[in-house]
Amino acid sequence: MAEIGQGGKENVERILPAAEAVKKITGIGIIFQPLLYLMRSGSPDSLDLMVAFNYAGMAVDLIREKRFGKMVALSGGRYTAVDISVVADGAKRVDVDELYDTETYRPRILSTQGKPMFLY
């Protein structure tokens, strides 16, 4: 099994019985993939932490302001609140061939020239 980060082992231990039950009932196995820092392939850095703290602060502000049905987002490189319905607004497209090595499940960013800070 791949190295599991802090708290990851406990999550895997909680998920495995459910995964086994799904496979027993349906005959179909599942893959448990903690999202963690999959795209970045590394530990959180100061930017990751800053964004997480800002998201959390904005989420608390939305609750305090009773602005329900909203979620925090980055749009055009700026923090904003958008309607939660945006999640269901059509398909989201990612250029898999440009951004990912599908053999290793790692990011493949060949050039960042002209791309936004948060690629997609």
Side-chain angles (χ1 to χ4, degrees), residues 74-85:
L74 280 169
S75 180
R78 298 182 186 281
Y79 293 99
T80 188
V82 296
D83 287 327
I84 197 101
S85 64

Side-chain angles (χ1 to χ4, degrees), residues 64-76:
R64 186 181 303 125
E65 296 164 6
K66 298 184 183 339
R67 293 177 60 200
F68 305 114
K70 300 281 187 183
M71 70 178 201
V72 179
L74 280 169
S75 180

Side-chain angles (χ1 to χ4, degrees), residues 21-72:
V22 168
K23 186 170 185 176
K24 184 177 180 181
I25 293 168
T26 67
I28 300 170
I30 68 167
I31 295 173
F32 169 67
Q33 175 62 60
L35 295 179
L36 304 172
Y37 288 89
L38 193 58
M39 176 62 185
R40 293 185 44 89
S41 301
S43 297
D45 61 17
S46 59
L47 179 62
D48 296 320
L49 297 173
M50 180 186 72
V51 171
F53 279 116
N54 289 335
Y55 268 33
M58 288 185 67
V60 169
D61 289 343
L62 288 172
I63 294 167
R64 186 181 303 125
E65 296 164 6
K66 298 184 183 339
R67 293 177 60 200
F68 305 114
K70 300 281 187 183
M71 70 178 201
V72 179

